[in-house]
């Protein structure tokens, strides 16, 4: 079992400073996925502004967008491989369930509808397709700042684990290991895949933390140390 108690110093999340990264550098470093069966209407304009966006007509697996911290998702005509009536709204729900720390922007020309509300609550922002380029740019700049912030990324993971009834003592130990990993720039401060079942009670929580360590934590360290901390 991973021995957290070898570490004597107790850290606070506030010990992690917010990186001050140039916006142009954030645009260059951060991959954005846009999922739209009809093509993302603002794609070219936003690319011209420096945003690094990859367009998908649809996705057949959540693994396809694992490396994209920011997701733009239409709520109509996508998510067909998941077989849900709510289409993209359900896809957003599933992305957020697997990757709680991703920043998700839902959008559509149609009304979002009552039946989609519970799924769309998982999105960080909901927009209409008529949104202007200026508004899109503002929303995406905010998204880039959030995903480059190691405290915000962890707080989303923490809330998800709390929603799945993680033991507070286990959460505390995980959080301590995360803070050390960021401050020491060492991903090995986190428990290994084989050690996670000793800490977490459910496969879902294990998968969330495993995906976070293998993907998001790598991004977090990149942002944190390129920001000069």
């Amino acid at each position: 079992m991973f021995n957290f108690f070898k570490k004597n110093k107790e850290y606070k999340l506030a010990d992690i400073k917010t990186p001050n990264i140039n916006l142009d550098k954030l645009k260059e470093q951060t991959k954005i996925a846009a999922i739209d069966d009809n093509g993302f209407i603002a794609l070219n304009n936003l690319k011209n502004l420096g945003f690094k966006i990859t367009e998908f007509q649809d996705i057949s697996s959540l693994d396809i967008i694992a490396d994209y911290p920011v997701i733009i998702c239409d709520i109509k005509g996508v998510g067909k491989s998941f077989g849900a009536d709510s289409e993209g709204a359900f896809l957003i729900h599933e992305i957020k369930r697997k990757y709680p720390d991703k920043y998700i922007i839902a959008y559509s020309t149609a009304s979002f509808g009552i039946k989609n509300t519970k799924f769309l609550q998982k999105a960080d922002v909901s927009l209409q397709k008529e949104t202007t380029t200026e508004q899109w740019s503002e929303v995406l700049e905010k998204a880039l700042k959030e995903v480059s912030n190691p405290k915000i990324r962890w707080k989303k993971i923490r809330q998800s684990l709390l929603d799945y009834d993680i033991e507070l003592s286990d959460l505390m130990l995980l959080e301590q290991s995360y803070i050390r990993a960021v401050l020491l720039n060492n991903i090995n401060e986190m428990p290994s895949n084989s050690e996670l079942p000793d800490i977490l009670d459910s496969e879902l929580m294990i998968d969330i933390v495993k995906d976070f360590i293998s993907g998001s934590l790598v991004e977090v360290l990149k942002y944190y140390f390129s920001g000069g901390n």
Side-chain angles (χ1 to χ4, degrees), residues 7-16 172 175-184 189:
K7 315 294 183 180
N8 295 319
K9 180 176 173 58
E10 183 175 330
Y11 294 93
K12 296 180 180 179
L13 202 57
D15 292 329
I16 299 176
M172 180 190 73
E175 185 161 302
Q176 286 294 299
S177 67
Y178 171 73
I179 297 170
R180 287 195 303 271
V182 174
L183 295 179
L184 300 176
E189 290 290 328

Side-chain angles (χ1 to χ4, degrees), residues 28-71:
E28 179 185 333
Q29 288 184 342
T30 310
K31 297 167 66 176
I32 301 169
I35 307 171
D36 188 335
D37 62 319
N38 291 318
F40 179 43
I41 192 169
L43 178 67
N44 290 333
N45 287 340
L46 292 173
K47 278 189 169 183
N48 290 339
L49 289 172
F51 293 101
K52 190 175 181 180
I53 304 174
T54 301
E55 189 177 55
F56 298 91
Q57 286 193 324
D58 203 352
I59 60 171
S60 57
S61 167
L62 298 179
D63 293 338
I64 293 172
I65 45 85
D67 295 334
Y68 295 84
V70 179
I71 311 292

Side-chain angles (χ1 to χ4, degrees), residues 47 133 136:
K47 278 189 169 183
T133 299
W136 270 112

